[in-house]
Amino acid sequence: MSNASSSQIAQWVDQAVSSTPIYDLHTHLYPANFGKLMLWGIDELLTYHYLIAETIRVSEISYDEFWAIPQKKQAEHIWQELFIERAPISEACRGVLSVLHRLGLDVQARNLNQFRQFFAEQKPGDYVDKVFKLANVHTVVMTNDALDPAERDIWLKKTDIDKRFKAVLRIDPVLVGWPKVGDTLGGFGYAAGADLGANSMKEIRRFLSEWIDRMSAIYVAVSLTPTFRYPDDSAATKVLKEAVLPICRERNLPFAMMIGVQRQVNPRLRLAGDSVGKADITSVDRILAQNPQNKFLMTMLSRENQHELAVTARKHRNMMLFGCWWFMNNPSIIEEITRMRMELLGTSFIPQHSDARILDQVIYKWDHSRQIIAKVMKDKFIDIANSGWPVTLDEVKKTAEGFLSANFQRFLETTLA
Ligand code: FIX
Ligand code: ZN
């Protein structure tokens, strides 16, 4: 029997990648019954912090003027500046167009009010169904903050959670917010002082355990600056060693580390004011090597960290590399990184997550990334076919399922020997 042709393989890959439902392991989305926390629709899409950054740099408007106007007016200003006055060629602009196009709206009309009319007719609950179907996503993983009063109240009310939304306990301040976070935890009934003595550590572990249970969190997560060092004599190292890693190990939960964000380099841009920096890979090596029983999900923000991070993944089976995070989530970089990762790690990584903040965004974030993942997979399968390997449809399907859903699911379930 002759081997499959390149065009046959290409067709198999396109079919498999486009039809595989996605498990989106990192988003900032909320279900419909979380009220105002669920962001969706054209005005939210246009006031996405990526587009605010792109608008402020080309617009005459002052920061104060921009933040003083209502969101609807902000959206109109962004639409005018980035879509009407200029060609909307940035990835974030293209994303808005891809969403409108996939929803079947008349993008050619360039008519913001026409788009608004469509969204005004949608009901949040039904709209979640429509978007998940269009994006072919089966589950999204939230980013949940137990210290955020609005979200906290919802969890304390034992609100039913849509099964398609999984929770994650995000703990940035508990690692890097000392001493102030001690007061916050105290205010919520956890006597954890900045001394970080034995009693405080016990209280921090109680906070983590209670909220992991309350949310049925599937992993614990943190984002860290490029200056993150492990181990050192900081509160972060102490809380990691004595609270976070032991609790995660006990419960066989992965600890997700998202490293390389410089928070608020320009506070006047608010959420859009964060930036990137190259981080220290040796700290990543050490935390993985010194905690072999802990599972780690890892992603780094700087393009300059990507090769060493992929090599580090080859050295530590307790690390699952994931996603093209934030400033990396651009087609040229996604392709470069995904190709390198397939060459260094084969099928044992998770190429992407959406990081969607607005529900509709899962449509474009995954449409755009599926195309690139498929492109790289085609090249890699055709390469091995050219080396005489009998590529099969099952092999292609299994690889697509691994990249888009099963690798994450398996990593959640696995226990480290
Ligand atoms: O830390 C994070 O989870 C980041 O993804 C966010 O802080 C960031 O604002 C974002 O939306 C990136 O896409
Ligand atoms: Zn995020």
Side-chain angles (χ1 to χ4, degrees), residues 26 28 49-50 170 223 263 325-326 355 357:
H26 174 64
H28 297 266
H49 70 80
Y50 290 33
R170 180 73 176 247
S223 73
R263 295 289 178 189
W325 184 24
W326 200 343
D355 228 322
R357 280 183 175 274

Side-chain angles (χ1 to χ4, degrees), residues 116-127:
R116 282 182 169 153
Q117 213 177 323
F118 165 83
F119 289 100
E121 290 153 11
Q122 309 304 311
K123 293 195 183 56
D126 300 340
Y127 193 59

Side-chain angles (χ1 to χ4, degrees), residues 26-28 48-50 143 170 172 222-224 258 261 263 271-272 274 301 324-327 329 353-357 361 365:
H26 174 64
T27 77
H28 297 266
Y48 182 36
H49 70 80
Y50 290 33
T143 296
R170 180 73 176 247
D172 297 30
V222 72
S223 73
L224 295 161
M258 308 174 76
V261 53
R263 295 289 178 189
L271 207 49
D274 299 335
L301 192 53
C324 298
W325 184 24
W326 200 343
F327 306 117
N329 201 350
H353 64 277
S354 73
D355 228 322
R357 280 183 175 274
Q361 290 177 329
K365 301 256 187 181

